[in-house]
């Protein structure tokens, strides 16, 4: 095996007991396998990678492009050489300060406009591959901007596995895992819609005007939730698809049966679900949503 001088000395002089023949053969096989996958990827459909990243909890969010490439290869997609980094937010995460959200959209106005123009321009690839990890309202907005007009694949980061790849060892959720409660036969001008996948909503933290309207019966409270909320509840793309189907029917019910003009939306969900929820909210077809 031909090597540079530094690694030749490392393997043969400094640490020969660590780099056994078996380990070197294993390293060679892994490298050969990776090159073979990259060559095979040239036959795959090309995907445009879009990242939606923010430093959350003042912890930097960074992933190398090579990680996106590996995720796409697992889905039999190749990667467009240019990665679009939309709505990148690297300022101090001060969501708990009273003036944060008042200034937020103003600060992000240029980035939002850029993303709108990019989504309206002719597609350079057949597939958009979205890697989202951002503030929940921003993810919903980004999903709404992107829409469903083209083929979109959304991926979910796993903190436990430290990976964006779908968990091939997990079993997809059975039908009916995502439940909806609070549907009403009557019409209402306003509705509270909560998405409770990672936690149940604490009504003590909800704005007083909303909690009072719900408790008095003046405003319906529709809940899309899991019996046991979990931050790792979206482990397979089939799980995300089932959530999307349930969310679509819920939004259509609010639009067609309740005939609400305004929906107060609270989302406690994995990032992929927040983005996908936004995709369902197309301008001109739904009520106003307040996040």
């Amino acid at each position: 095996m031909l090597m540079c001088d530094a690694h030749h000395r490392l393997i043969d002089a400094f640490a020969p007991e660590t780099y056994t023949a078996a380990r070197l053969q294993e390293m060679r096989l892994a490298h050969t396998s990776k090159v073979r996958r990259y060559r095979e990827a040239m036959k795959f459909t090309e995907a445009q990678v879009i990242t939606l990243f923010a430093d959350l909890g003042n912890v930097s969010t960074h992933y190398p492009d090579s990680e996106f490439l590996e995720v796409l290869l697992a889905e039999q997609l190749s990667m467009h050489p240019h990665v679009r980094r939309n709505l990148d937010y690297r300022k101090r995460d001060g969501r708990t300060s009273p003036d944060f959200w008042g200034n937020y959209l103003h600060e992000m106005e240029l980035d939002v406009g850029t993303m709108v123009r990019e989504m309206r321009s002719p597609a350079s690839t057949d597939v958009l591959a979205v890697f989202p990890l951002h503030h929940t309202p921003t993810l919903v907005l980004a999903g709404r901007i992107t829409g469903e007009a083209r083929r979109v694949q959304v991926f979910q980061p796993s903190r436990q596995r430290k990976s964006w790849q779908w968990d091939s060892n997990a079993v997809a959720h059975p039908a009916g895992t995502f439940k909806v409660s609070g549907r009403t036969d009557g019409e209402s001008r306003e509705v509270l819609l909560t998405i409770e996948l990672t936690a149940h909503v604490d009504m003590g933290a909800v704005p007083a005007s909303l909690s009072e309207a719900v408790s008095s019966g003046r405003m319906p409270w529709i809940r899309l939730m899991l019996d046991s909320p979990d931050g790792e509840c979206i482990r397979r793309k089939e799980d995300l698809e089932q959530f999307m189907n349930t969310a679509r029917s819920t939004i259509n019910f609010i639009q067609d049966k309740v005939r609400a003009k305004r929906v107060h939306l609270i989302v406690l969900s994995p990032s992929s679900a927040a983005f996908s929820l936004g995709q369902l909210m197309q301008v001109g077809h739904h009520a106003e949503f307040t996040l």
Side-chain angles (χ1 to χ4, degrees), residues 132-183:
L133 193 57
H134 214 299
H135 303 117
T136 300
T138 308
L139 293 176
V140 176
L141 174 62
R144 180 167 180 168
I145 292 171
T146 305
E148 296 184 286
R150 64 184 72 170
R151 183 181 168 193
V152 179
Q153 285 208 25
V154 187
F155 294 93
Q156 172 62 41
S158 169
R159 291 182 180 179
Q160 290 181 359
R161 294 181 294 109
K162 295 180 172 56
S163 174
W164 286 89
Q165 290 195 33
W166 297 114
D167 189 353
S168 59
N169 296 319
V171 177
H173 289 314
T177 296
F178 299 95
K179 298 178 170 61
V180 180
S181 68
R183 290 193 176 191

Side-chain angles (χ1 to χ4, degrees), residues 63 67 70-71 74-75 131 154-171 230-239 270-272:
Y63 294 91
E67 188 157 346
E70 292 294 333
V71 172
E75 297 296 312
F131 293 81
V154 187
F155 294 93
Q156 172 62 41
S158 169
R159 291 182 180 179
Q160 290 181 359
R161 294 181 294 109
K162 295 180 172 56
S163 174
W164 286 89
Q165 290 195 33
W166 297 114
D167 189 353
S168 59
N169 296 319
V171 177
D230 183 2
E232 296 281 324
C233 62
I234 305 290
R235 300 176 66 182
R236 296 182 61 92
K237 54 187 173 184
E238 293 87 352
D239 298 336
S271 56
S272 61

Side-chain angles (χ1 to χ4, degrees), residues 10 50 64 113 131 150 184 214 229 248 252 257 264:
L10 171 66
I50 296 176
F131 293 81
R150 64 184 72 170
T184 175
V214 168
R248 190 190 308 277
N252 289 342
K257 302 297 182 182
H264 301 275

Side-chain angles (χ1 to χ4, degrees), residues 14-38:
F14 297 135
E17 68 284 352
T18 300
Y19 293 94
T20 62
R23 182 177 179 187
L24 293 176
Q25 290 168 354
E26 182 180 339
M27 292 168 62
R28 175 62 179 166
L29 286 173
H31 177 72
T32 304
S33 176
K34 178 181 286 188
V35 172
R36 185 179 297 114
R37 291 202 312 275
Y38 289 176

Side-chain angles (χ1 to χ4, degrees), residues 213-228:
V214 168
S215 61
S216 67
R218 291 186 289 107
M219 183 185 300
W221 178 15
I222 298 177
R223 307 171 71 182
L224 194 167
M225 58 185 178
L226 293 172
D227 289 336
S228 300

